Amino acid sequence: MPAAAAVPPHWLGAPVDWPKVGLLAFLHACWESVAQGLPTPCLQMLLRTRARLLGRRPPPRRAPARPGAYAFFPVLFAGLLMLPPAAAALVAVPGALAAGAAPPSAARRCWNAAQLALSAFAAAGAFHLLAGPRLLLGSRFPGALLPAFAAVAVFCLVNSALVGAMLALAERRPPAVLLRGATAAIGLPVLVHAAGALMVAVLWQGPYGAFAALLALLPLTISAWVLAQGHRERDTHQATVQALVQAVEIKDAYTRGHSERVGRAAVLIARQLGMEPERLRTLRFAGILHDVGKLGVATELLRRNGPLTEEERRAVEVHPVYGYELVRGIAFLGEAHAGILHHHERMDGRGYPSGLAGDGIPEFARIISVADAFDSMTSTRSYRRGRPVAEAVTELERCAGSQFDPVMVRALVVAVGEHGWQPALPPPGGCTGEVPDIPLGVPEPARGAPPRLPAQADRPAPADEPAQGGKNAPQAGPA
């Protein structure tokens, strides 16, 4: 009796249908490439062979649309429903070893293959333990749904546990990554892929055969390819924005990091307002690009260490118009155009370039105005120290209603209270000026400025920063 109990389950030693294993492994590798927006391994090999025969340089390797993520699981899931555990593990190996066109190291490829193989083995074992093959072959529904989706859950949990353990060991991540990975492992895309895999398994093992099963994957394949193109398009958008920001940072060292922080603060405000994700993404672009018009301002004015004349200040204040003209042909920016053009407008109508007031100022511009001033006040620069966050918040609240939208100011205050704020690091050489006394005051546009602006330490504040205190400094109206 003890010897009989030690006998492994019959399905661990079941004969392997090698043609089915080979076909599933090939399909998994091909569809994973399609879902990443890449040519299939066969097409890659054909293109490289053709280039060698013609004596040309092989085509450059393209990066996957979702690097580090496997995007198409239905074939792999179908394999763990139709094959013994060891054979199901083999389905994942060729696709993982050949994955991506901008490949990681050989060690990482081997790890990816082993990770997926172990997950598939555990999932197929769970499916067999729950009598899944018998229920599936007999088309006993809904009874067959439980072992099928349990197997998918085991696959996701084992996979996320392996990834979390590797991150904890290799990158010294906290053990909490294991829990977060496990809770996030099973989402709507995985459930859709699981349903597709179940349909493939039923059709393949039923009277319709493999061809009908592959046709059933066509809608999922198309949706995965479209999703990959969307990811690639978003990456292109991000690269375009970063290129513009880098050009500004090269010209004006002050903006280094400032643009990204304004984008981050703008998103904090918008999330408090309940803005939808797609507009959040566009708003972040607007915040990052709000100073792109400085590319059209003379470098000497941006780097001046002394006070600006009224005429020179007017030349700096035209940068929102330059920014709008520079990006208005970039269609994906959408609402960001208005945010870039009007982020120096004031609620009382004394801003620039259009003198808009109140709700006539676009929402994006009202958000960026607050985010811009907040980061300017809390950032340490070469000519003066940054203000503490609490004092910057006090100044924003004082100027709410005259310069800033009170709703946006309140949203920033709540967001900073919940998430905190990390001001910019001090410049390498430190700063030469001291923190000026508050109230800081608010700068008027050049058309209403006094003939001579008050000097501040070594140079005046940029146009996006509240002016420093002084007896001649223009003050904001009551909040």
Side-chain angles (χ1 to χ4, degrees):
M1 194 70 180
V7 175
H10 69 89
W11 40 265
L12 281 179
V16 176
D17 186 348
W18 290 108
K20 182 181 289 186
V21 173
L23 180 57
L24 286 171
F26 174 76
L27 292 174
H28 171 64
C30 290
W31 262 299
E32 179 64 32
S33 297
V34 170
Q36 291 281 14
L38 300 171
T40 63
C42 292
L43 182 56
Q44 292 180 43
M45 186 180 301
L46 180 63
L47 293 174
R48 293 186 172 279
T49 302
R50 177 175 175 271
R52 290 191 185 97
L53 291 176
L54 296 176
R56 298 175 181 173
R57 180 176 297 179
R61 294 180 179 273
R62 296 173 61 191
R66 302 170 65 188
Y70 288 87
F72 200 77
F73 281 128
V75 176
L76 187 58
F77 288 167
L80 64 88
L81 298 180
M82 294 189 293
L83 298 170
L90 293 177
V91 172
V93 174
L97 293 178
S105 65
R108 184 170 180 178
R109 284 171 176 263
C110 291
W111 160 254
N112 290 339
Q115 164 197 329
L116 290 176
L118 287 172
S119 302
F121 182 89
F127 185 65
H128 280 76
L129 286 174
L130 295 173
R134 178 175 56 82
L135 296 172
L136 192 62
L137 286 173
S139 297
R140 298 180 182 178
F141 292 98
L145 295 177
L146 176 60
F149 284 97
V152 171
V154 169
F155 177 93
C156 294
L157 293 175
V158 171
N159 187 51
S160 63
L162 290 172
V163 172
M166 178 57 69
L167 291 174
L169 292 174
E171 301 182 10
R172 301 184 184 276
R173 301 277 187 92
V177 298
L178 291 171
L179 180 60
R180 288 198 298 268
T183 55
I186 303 177
L188 181 59
V190 171
L191 295 177
V192 172
H193 287 187
L198 185 59
M199 181 169 54
V200 168
V202 171
L203 292 173
W204 194 313
Q205 298 188 138
Y208 303 102
F211 183 71
L214 298 182
L215 286 180
L217 282 177
L218 189 58
L220 281 177
T221 305
I222 294 173
S223 65
W225 182 84
V226 170
L227 184 62
Q229 300 312 305
H231 278 280
R232 196 173 295 283
E233 184 179 4
R234 289 194 175 202
D235 289 343
T236 303
H237 295 171
Q238 185 67 32
T240 301
V241 170
Q242 290 301 326
L244 290 170
V245 171
Q246 189 174 16
V248 178
E249 291 180 347
I250 291 173
K251 184 168 186 176
D252 182 15
Y254 149 69
T255 61
R256 193 160 297 148
H258 170 68
S259 299
E260 287 286 351
R261 292 192 301 274
V262 171
R264 186 163 68 250
V267 169
L268 287 176
I269 295 171
R271 281 181 177 155
Q272 290 295 325
L273 301 176
M275 189 175 289
E276 55 269 23
E278 192 59 34
R279 291 188 72 209
L280 276 176
R281 176 172 172 269
T282 306
L283 174 64
R284 178 175 172 272
F285 284 157
I288 292 174
L289 292 173
H290 75 285
D291 272 342
V292 71
K294 288 184 176 180
L295 289 172
V297 178
T299 305
E300 187 271 336
L301 294 181
L302 297 177
R303 297 181 179 179
R304 175 79 61 82
N305 286 324
L308 299 176
T309 66
E310 184 175 337
E311 182 179 357
E312 289 171 337
R313 186 175 173 183
R314 284 199 185 96
V316 173
E317 287 178 353
V318 80
H319 78 272
V321 178
Y322 288 156
Y324 172 75
E325 291 294 332
L326 186 62
V327 302
R328 68 174 179 173
I330 304 178
F332 71 82
L333 289 177
E335 283 185 87
H337 295 143
I340 293 169
L341 177 61
H342 296 295
H343 71 277
H344 279 300
E345 305 287 359
R346 292 170 47 121
M347 294 297 288
D348 57 13
R350 293 185 292 169
Y352 59 90
S354 303
L356 302 181
D359 291 339
I361 305 172
E363 184 181 25
F364 275 22
R366 283 178 277 144
I367 293 174
I368 294 171
S369 175
V370 173
D372 188 20
F374 178 68
D375 182 68
S376 296
M377 286 189 285
T378 56
S379 297
T380 295
R381 305 178 192 168
S382 59
Y383 56 89
R384 64 114 176 100
R385 293 194 186 102
R387 305 200 65 80
V389 169
E391 291 185 9
V393 165
T394 299
E395 181 65 10
L396 289 176
E397 291 176 333
R398 188 182 70 82
C399 299
S402 57
Q403 182 174 5
F404 306 117
D405 186 335
V407 175
M408 308 308 176
V409 171
R410 182 59 189 164
L412 177 68
V413 173
V414 174
V416 169
E418 291 180 357
H419 304 285
W421 181 257
Q422 183 61 45
L425 295 175
C431 61
T432 58
E434 298 298 326
V435 178
D437 295 333
I438 55 173
L440 296 177
V442 179
E444 303 292 341
R447 62 176 179 269
R452 184 175 182 279
L453 298 178
Q456 310 162 6
D458 296 330
R459 57 168 283 188
D464 56 3
E465 180 184 347
Q468 309 304 317
K471 63 181 181 180
N472 296 324
Q475 301 296 313

